[in-house]
mmCIF file of all heavy atoms in Angstrom:
data_model
loop_
_atom_site.group_PDB
_atom_site.id
_atom_site.type_symbol
_atom_site.label_atom_id
_atom_site.label_comp_id
_atom_site.label_asym_id
_atom_site.label_seq_id
_atom_site.Cartn_x
_atom_site.Cartn_y
_atom_site.Cartn_z
ATOM 1 N N ILE A 95 -1.413 127.018 164.828
ATOM 2 C CA ILE A 95 -2.787 127.030 164.387
ATOM 3 C C ILE A 95 -3.035 125.608 163.659
ATOM 4 O O ILE A 95 -4.085 125.025 163.951
ATOM 5 C CB ILE A 95 -3.122 128.178 163.361
ATOM 6 C CG1 ILE A 95 -3.301 129.498 164.157
ATOM 7 C CG2 ILE A 95 -4.369 127.964 162.493
ATOM 8 C CD1 ILE A 95 -3.518 130.698 163.336
ATOM 9 N N PRO A 96 -2.249 125.102 162.697
ATOM 10 C CA PRO A 96 -2.765 123.900 162.107
ATOM 11 C C PRO A 96 -2.763 122.692 163.127
ATOM 12 O O PRO A 96 -3.745 121.961 163.071
ATOM 13 C CB PRO A 96 -1.580 123.645 161.084
ATOM 14 C CG PRO A 96 -0.854 124.911 160.896
ATOM 15 C CD PRO A 96 -1.039 125.692 161.989
ATOM 16 N N LYS A 97 -1.912 122.676 164.172
ATOM 17 C CA LYS A 97 -1.892 121.598 165.120
ATOM 18 C C LYS A 97 -3.208 121.706 165.878
ATOM 19 O O LYS A 97 -3.907 120.742 166.213
ATOM 20 C CB LYS A 97 -0.791 121.691 165.918
ATOM 21 C CG LYS A 97 0.591 121.419 165.328
ATOM 22 C CD LYS A 97 1.820 121.641 166.207
ATOM 23 C CE LYS A 97 3.032 121.433 165.459
ATOM 24 N NZ LYS A 97 4.244 121.792 166.192
ATOM 25 N N TRP A 98 -3.504 122.938 166.503
ATOM 26 C CA TRP A 98 -4.740 123.124 167.240
ATOM 27 C C TRP A 98 -5.990 122.927 166.399
ATOM 28 O O TRP A 98 -6.933 122.294 167.038
ATOM 29 C CB TRP A 98 -4.789 124.478 167.868
ATOM 30 C CG TRP A 98 -3.913 124.563 169.059
ATOM 31 C CD1 TRP A 98 -2.644 125.050 169.107
ATOM 32 C CD2 TRP A 98 -4.245 124.129 170.376
ATOM 33 N NE1 TRP A 98 -2.183 124.879 170.382
ATOM 34 C CE2 TRP A 98 -3.147 124.405 171.164
ATOM 35 C CE3 TRP A 98 -5.251 123.470 170.960
ATOM 36 C CZ2 TRP A 98 -3.049 124.011 172.497
ATOM 37 C CZ3 TRP A 98 -5.356 123.189 172.307
ATOM 38 C CH2 TRP A 98 -4.211 123.456 173.031
ATOM 39 N N GLU A 99 -5.975 123.132 165.253
ATOM 40 C CA GLU A 99 -7.146 123.099 164.343
ATOM 41 C C GLU A 99 -7.519 121.621 164.200
ATOM 42 O O GLU A 99 -8.627 121.244 164.418
ATOM 43 C CB GLU A 99 -6.853 123.734 162.921
ATOM 44 C CG GLU A 99 -8.053 123.729 162.035
ATOM 45 C CD GLU A 99 -7.790 124.419 160.612
ATOM 46 O OE1 GLU A 99 -6.570 124.433 160.322
ATOM 47 O OE2 GLU A 99 -8.748 124.871 160.108
ATOM 48 N N GLN A 100 -6.473 120.756 163.906
ATOM 49 C CA GLN A 100 -6.734 119.441 163.758
ATOM 50 C C GLN A 100 -7.266 118.783 165.213
ATOM 51 O O GLN A 100 -8.174 118.086 165.154
ATOM 52 C CB GLN A 100 -5.383 118.601 163.434
ATOM 53 C CG GLN A 100 -4.987 119.003 162.046
ATOM 54 C CD GLN A 100 -6.090 118.755 160.820
ATOM 55 O OE1 GLN A 100 -6.746 117.677 160.927
ATOM 56 N NE2 GLN A 100 -6.407 119.646 160.138
ATOM 57 N N PHE A 101 -6.679 119.310 166.228
ATOM 58 C CA PHE A 101 -7.099 118.748 167.544
ATOM 59 C C PHE A 101 -8.562 119.218 167.885
ATOM 60 O O PHE A 101 -9.391 118.301 168.225
ATOM 61 C CB PHE A 101 -6.135 119.303 168.714
ATOM 62 C CG PHE A 101 -6.802 119.118 170.205
ATOM 63 C CD1 PHE A 101 -6.788 117.994 170.688
ATOM 64 C CD2 PHE A 101 -7.275 120.202 170.749
ATOM 65 C CE1 PHE A 101 -7.329 117.730 171.912
ATOM 66 C CE2 PHE A 101 -7.843 120.088 171.988
ATOM 67 C CZ PHE A 101 -7.889 118.865 172.628
ATOM 68 N N LEU A 102 -8.824 120.438 167.648
ATOM 69 C CA LEU A 102 -10.171 120.965 167.791
ATOM 70 C C LEU A 102 -11.300 120.306 166.800
ATOM 71 O O LEU A 102 -12.441 120.146 167.214
ATOM 72 C CB LEU A 102 -10.280 122.434 167.681
ATOM 73 C CG LEU A 102 -9.503 123.312 168.683
ATOM 74 C CD1 LEU A 102 -9.443 124.724 168.348
ATOM 75 C CD2 LEU A 102 -10.076 122.987 170.073
ATOM 76 N N LEU A 103 -10.802 119.883 165.666
ATOM 77 C CA LEU A 103 -11.794 119.238 164.778
ATOM 78 C C LEU A 103 -11.814 117.631 165.134
ATOM 79 O O LEU A 103 -12.585 116.982 164.581
ATOM 80 C CB LEU A 103 -11.317 119.373 163.368
ATOM 81 C CG LEU A 103 -11.416 120.699 162.813
ATOM 82 C CD1 LEU A 103 -10.795 120.768 161.479
ATOM 83 C CD2 LEU A 103 -12.833 121.084 162.770
ATOM 84 N N GLY A 104 -11.063 117.210 166.190
ATOM 85 C CA GLY A 104 -11.101 115.911 166.635
ATOM 86 C C GLY A 104 -10.348 114.890 165.698
ATOM 87 O O GLY A 104 -10.457 113.751 165.744
ATOM 88 N N ARG A 105 -9.416 115.395 164.886
ATOM 89 C CA ARG A 105 -8.708 114.536 163.918
ATOM 90 C C ARG A 105 -7.206 114.230 164.421
ATOM 91 O O ARG A 105 -6.538 113.474 163.859
ATOM 92 C CB ARG A 105 -8.454 115.324 162.620
ATOM 93 C CG ARG A 105 -9.818 115.587 161.931
ATOM 94 C CD ARG A 105 -9.641 116.199 160.679
ATOM 95 N NE ARG A 105 -10.851 116.518 160.064
ATOM 96 C CZ ARG A 105 -11.080 117.608 159.310
ATOM 97 N NH1 ARG A 105 -9.983 118.341 158.873
ATOM 98 N NH2 ARG A 105 -12.304 117.857 158.707
ATOM 99 N N ALA A 106 -6.781 114.919 165.666
ATOM 100 C CA ALA A 106 -5.407 114.749 166.108
ATOM 101 C C ALA A 106 -5.502 114.761 167.614
ATOM 102 O O ALA A 106 -6.392 115.279 168.193
ATOM 103 C CB ALA A 106 -4.399 115.758 165.488
ATOM 104 N N PRO A 107 -4.476 114.165 168.185
ATOM 105 C CA PRO A 107 -4.306 114.321 169.708
ATOM 106 C C PRO A 107 -3.945 115.823 170.177
ATOM 107 O O PRO A 107 -3.640 116.479 169.357
ATOM 108 C CB PRO A 107 -3.159 113.345 170.147
ATOM 109 C CG PRO A 107 -2.376 113.188 168.799
ATOM 110 C CD PRO A 107 -3.281 113.400 167.679
ATOM 111 N N TYR A 108 -3.998 115.928 171.456
ATOM 112 C CA TYR A 108 -3.583 117.177 172.087
ATOM 113 C C TYR A 108 -2.295 117.495 171.499
ATOM 114 O O TYR A 108 -1.312 116.862 171.603
ATOM 115 C CB TYR A 108 -3.670 117.137 173.609
ATOM 116 C CG TYR A 108 -3.574 118.386 174.306
ATOM 117 C CD1 TYR A 108 -4.653 119.083 174.465
ATOM 118 C CD2 TYR A 108 -2.455 118.659 174.866
ATOM 119 C CE1 TYR A 108 -4.702 120.287 175.202
ATOM 120 C CE2 TYR A 108 -2.303 119.913 175.698
ATOM 121 C CZ TYR A 108 -3.566 120.596 175.781
ATOM 122 O OH TYR A 108 -3.433 121.840 176.436
ATOM 123 N N PRO A 109 -2.085 118.797 170.975
ATOM 124 C CA PRO A 109 -0.851 119.181 170.255
ATOM 125 C C PRO A 109 0.399 119.371 171.250
ATOM 126 O O PRO A 109 1.556 119.325 170.612
ATOM 127 C CB PRO A 109 -1.218 120.457 169.583
ATOM 128 C CG PRO A 109 -2.422 120.991 170.244
ATOM 129 C CD PRO A 109 -3.170 119.808 170.870
#
Side-chain angles (χ1 to χ4, degrees):
I95 283 177
K97 296 175 187 176
W98 279 100
E99 184 177 30
Q100 294 303 313
F101 168 72
L102 293 172
L103 292 172
R105 298 181 188 157
Y108 192 77

